[in-house]
Amino acid sequence: MGTNLHDEKRFIRAVYLRQLGPVGMSVLLVQLSVILNNVIVGNIVGGDALAVMSAVNPVYFTFTTVGALLATGGSTLTARTIGENDPEKADGVFSLSVISLVVVGAVLTIVGLLRMDALLYLLGVPPQMTGLARGYLTAYLPGAIGVMGIYVPFNYLKLVGKQNQSVMLFLVMAMVNLALDGLLAGVLGMGMTGVAIATIAGAWTAFLFGMALLCGKKGAFHIVKPQKALSAFAQMIRFGSPSAANNLCNTLFTLFMNRILLGHTGAMGLAAFSLIMTLRSFSMSINNGVSMTMAPFAAVFSSERDSESLRQLLLSALVSGIALMFAYSGLVLAFPAQICALFGVSGADRLAVTIPAIRFFAMSLPVMVVNYTLIAFYANQGKTMLSNAMTILRALALIVPITLLLSVIGGKNSVWLAFLLSEAGTLVFGLSFALLYSRSHPHTSRLALIDTGFEDDGRYIAFSVAGSDEAATLSAERITQFCEANELPPKTAMTISLAIEEMIVILNRHALEAENRRNGKLYGSTVRLLIYRADTVMLRIRCFGKPFNPIEAREDEEDGQEYIGVRMIQKLAKTVVYTHTFGINNLTITI
């Protein structure tokens, strides 16, 4: 179009990478609790106890399913209310998330303790392992609220841009878990019961600490009486269903796999499966770190029709995820014997089963991270049917029958190939469906399924502005060419140009100046302009730096003269809204 305005494609990548580290570390610390339990169980309690850990894993997955359903759904709904500038409603949804988790957690604890025999039968625990499993579950079930509750601070701290606090929170959880594991299971000889107590103590500590961060004096939320609770609860369930579906499939997958492996490979195969699930827990710091970091941005950009940001976001997520997972997969492939030794797996017979299992599983990891990324990306663009189909395929519908088939027609170790085949099959299905969908839907990008309608029609432009007043002025001048090409009224074009110049200059001075000094870089702003109709234009300006709301500034302050332009924009525009989410400043101006 000849505007000479270019997107340097650094802002989205920088925003994503800033959040990826803390989110991935938080997930890793959560999974570390599971890993530490299995390391201690394998080395202190014994090989049969490791098999028991695999058998009772569905209880953990049940808790995480409910936690993801209510906390993830609640945080998504809360994000929408924050976008509507309704803090009271946001507090109500937050409170409903917490109250729901407490009530459901209490019910699960009571039912599990009262119906212990039925639970053990449902889990398929072998008779010789019933005593160990009963001791573990009797201590573990009372921790339901804490285990489920950690999803609240994880999701809500991320929402308000406090990822570093989330890392600190889960570091405390891992430290408590590790210290009590060594004390109770090792020193005091409490075995599986001690491991369970250590696990729930760490979870409860994280949950309560997180609630203090969210609801304390400097917290962003308050516990209040929820309004229209039934309606809000239904919305929470809807928004949380994709994440919960994955955890539910994992629960069913573990149940089926336990029974298949127990019949095909015996207790040694069950112990090998437990070790693989531990390795998979570690990989979740990459899978979930990549996808959960991307998810909220994908939802926002999709609703804004910001096709360029979506492309940059998906590329950043895929490159980061594949690189990290190849590194992890390479380590697992290179040191399977050492991994077995770490978990106390020894003996020629056990190693003959476990080492091939580890190797086959490691080969599936790079494909797995691609699936996780695409599933999250499709879901947050509203393609929930495709997202759920891929989730069910990879986590249940492909891997279980493939495992069963290989157990019948293949050798003893061939069953582990099911991990790679199911992930590859899911990816082929997802990409094939996306390709067919894009062919039948104009203005939809292939494979990524991004809506490119406004971009294709020339009604969308994305560009970067360096962190200087001169760059802001030049961008404001050049945007008039875009406005003229779209035949916007002169008043609208003038308002857009004024808004870009005035707002970016003020953000440079008050939000970015300290950021640039601290990092020794020249951060700037990113601008997205979209013409919905001839009479409606959406202008979005984003930048790093300290939180700064230019529309709340007072003209009677010492430097109040510079806000005269802001007041003019408020009068000319239909709406001017400021938010600070995900650690960045956001200005949305409707003209």
Side-chain angles (χ1 to χ4, degrees):
M1 191 172 292
T3 61
N4 292 318
L5 293 172
H6 304 287
D7 195 328
E8 296 180 355
K9 302 182 180 181
R10 293 187 301 177
F11 182 81
I12 300 302
R13 182 171 64 250
V15 170
Y16 178 80
L17 293 177
R18 279 190 175 200
Q19 301 235 9
L20 176 59
V23 172
M25 183 60 68
S26 298
V27 177
L28 174 60
L29 291 171
V30 172
Q31 300 299 332
L32 189 59
S33 300
V34 179
I35 295 171
L36 290 173
N37 283 343
N38 285 353
V39 170
I40 290 174
V41 165
N43 284 278
I44 296 178
V45 187
D48 285 345
L50 198 61
V52 168
M53 291 296 291
S54 177
V56 301
N57 259 341
V59 176
Y60 166 75
F61 285 131
T62 299
F63 291 166
T64 59
T65 298
V66 177
L69 180 66
L70 298 177
T72 304
S75 66
T76 303
L77 184 57
T78 301
R80 290 174 174 264
T81 61
I82 291 175
E84 297 167 358
N85 297 314
D86 192 343
E88 292 183 3
K89 187 177 179 181
D91 280 339
V93 176
F94 168 76
S95 302
L96 184 61
S97 299
V98 176
I99 293 169
S100 301
L101 280 169
V102 170
V103 172
V104 175
V107 170
L108 290 176
T109 294
I110 293 170
V111 171
L113 291 174
L114 292 178
R115 305 292 296 173
M116 180 67 73
D117 289 338
L119 177 60
L120 292 172
Y121 175 78
L122 180 64
L123 294 172
V125 178
Q128 68 272 22
M129 300 178 185
T130 299
L132 287 173
R134 184 183 297 274
Y136 181 85
L137 290 173
T138 300
Y140 183 75
L141 287 170
I145 295 173
V147 175
M148 293 160 48
I150 60 176
Y151 280 85
V152 173
F154 177 73
N155 283 281
Y156 278 90
L157 287 173
K158 181 176 63 173
L159 177 63
V160 296
K162 296 183 177 180
Q163 290 79 15
N164 291 333
Q165 288 189 359
S166 180
V167 175
M168 178 177 63
L169 173 72
F170 295 117
L171 178 61
V172 170
M173 182 185 75
M175 290 175 64
V176 170
N177 195 354
L178 176 60
L180 290 180
D181 268 335
L183 174 64
L184 300 179
V187 178
L188 300 181
M190 295 177 63
M192 296 291 287
T193 300
V195 171
I197 293 174
T199 301
I200 65 171
W204 269 102
T205 301
F207 172 51
L208 296 176
F209 185 25
M211 289 300 297
L213 291 174
L214 290 169
C215 303
K217 290 183 178 180
K218 297 183 179 180
F221 300 100
H222 305 87
I223 297 294
V224 299
K225 182 179 179 181
Q227 301 296 319
K228 299 181 180 180
L230 289 178
S231 174
F233 186 79
Q235 288 181 289
M236 283 169 47
I237 297 298
R238 180 165 63 90
F239 288 130
S241 60
S243 179
N246 181 61
N247 288 342
L248 177 60
C249 286
N250 283 331
T251 303
L252 297 174
F253 157 71
T254 306
L255 283 170
F256 285 125
M257 290 293 286
N258 283 340
R259 292 183 179 274
I260 293 172
L261 292 173
L262 188 62
H264 181 66
T265 59
M268 287 189 294
L270 206 58
F273 180 58
S274 180
L275 195 155
I276 285 177
M277 295 300 285
T278 303
L279 294 176
R280 192 173 78 159
S281 294
F282 188 85
S283 74
M284 288 299 102
S285 62
I286 301 174
N287 287 324
N288 285 340
V290 168
S291 60
M292 295 176 74
T293 301
M294 178 190 66
F297 294 110
V300 171
F301 297 153
S302 181
S303 65
E304 294 176 352
R305 309 292 199 280
D306 191 347
S307 53
E308 179 59 30
S309 291
L310 282 170
R311 276 193 289 268
Q312 295 175 26
L313 180 69
L314 179 59
L315 180 61
S316 297
L318 286 173
V319 170
S320 301
I322 292 172
L324 290 170
M325 196 61 87
F326 261 114
Y328 176 57
S329 176
L331 287 173
V332 174
L333 283 170
F335 302 105
Q338 289 79 359
I339 292 172
C340 289
L342 176 64
F343 288 89
V345 176
S346 59
D349 291 341
R350 288 182 181 271
L351 291 175
V353 173
T354 307
I355 288 180
I358 291 174
R359 286 175 172 159
F360 278 125
F361 172 72
M363 289 188 290
S364 71
L365 290 172
V367 188
M368 184 188 297
V369 74
V370 174
N371 282 331
Y372 263 85
T373 304
L374 291 177
I375 286 169
F377 191 75
Y378 292 148
N380 284 280
Q381 288 193 87
K383 308 296 190 298
T384 53
M385 290 185 62
L386 175 57
S387 177
N388 288 332
M390 291 180 68
T391 296
I392 294 170
L393 279 174
R394 65 160 300 277
L396 186 66
L398 279 181
I399 192 168
V400 171
I402 289 175
T403 302
L404 187 60
L405 178 63
L406 291 175
S407 70
V408 174
I409 66 174
K412 179 174 290 189
N413 289 324
S414 65
V415 294
W416 310 112
L417 186 60
F419 287 100
L420 176 59
L421 294 178
S422 61
E423 295 292 349
T426 299
L427 181 58
V428 170
F429 166 82
L431 294 181
S432 299
F433 183 93
L435 185 60
L436 292 173
Y437 181 92
S438 64
R439 286 180 176 177
S440 60
H441 291 74
H443 305 300
T444 301
S445 67
R446 291 185 296 176
L447 305 182
L449 301 183
I450 297 171
D451 182 355
T452 61
F454 290 101
E455 184 179 7
D456 295 341
D457 294 340
R459 293 182 290 155
Y460 166 89
I461 188 171
F463 57 94
S464 305
V465 182
S468 67
D469 294 355
E470 293 77 11
T473 302
L474 184 60
S475 297
E477 293 173 354
R478 289 178 174 174
I479 198 64
T480 58
Q481 299 174 45
F482 174 81
C483 297
E484 291 171 359
N486 282 280
E487 300 180 346
L488 292 178
K491 181 182 177 181
T492 301
M494 183 270 292
T495 303
I496 292 171
S497 179
L498 179 65
I500 289 175
E501 182 173 6
E502 293 292 331
M503 290 302 190
I504 290 179
V505 167
I506 288 177
L507 288 171
N508 285 345
R509 294 174 183 174
H510 295 276
L512 279 171
E513 187 175 356
E515 179 86 2
N516 289 332
R517 283 201 308 267
R518 182 171 63 253
N519 291 281
K521 298 179 180 179
L522 185 61
Y523 285 110
S525 302
T526 180
V527 178
R528 303 292 188 258
L529 186 65
L530 188 147
I531 304 173
Y532 278 101
R533 298 181 299 273
D535 61 345
T536 304
V537 179
M538 298 294 295
L539 172 64
R540 296 181 179 87
I541 302 172
R542 297 186 175 99
C543 72
F544 288 124
K546 69 178 182 180
F548 176 75
N549 185 355
I551 60 179
E552 285 187 351
R554 295 170 50 188
E555 292 181 17
D556 58 354
E557 294 176 350
E558 182 178 346
D559 54 354
Q561 281 295 113
E562 70 178 332
Y563 297 105
I564 294 176
V566 175
R567 304 301 171 233
M568 289 179 61
I569 295 166
Q570 288 182 282
K571 291 178 181 179
L572 292 169
K574 296 176 182 177
T575 61
V576 182
V577 178
Y578 169 85
T579 59
H580 187 269
T581 52
F582 312 119
I584 56 177
N585 294 288
N586 303 272
L587 269 173
T588 302
I589 304 171
T590 307
I591 302 169

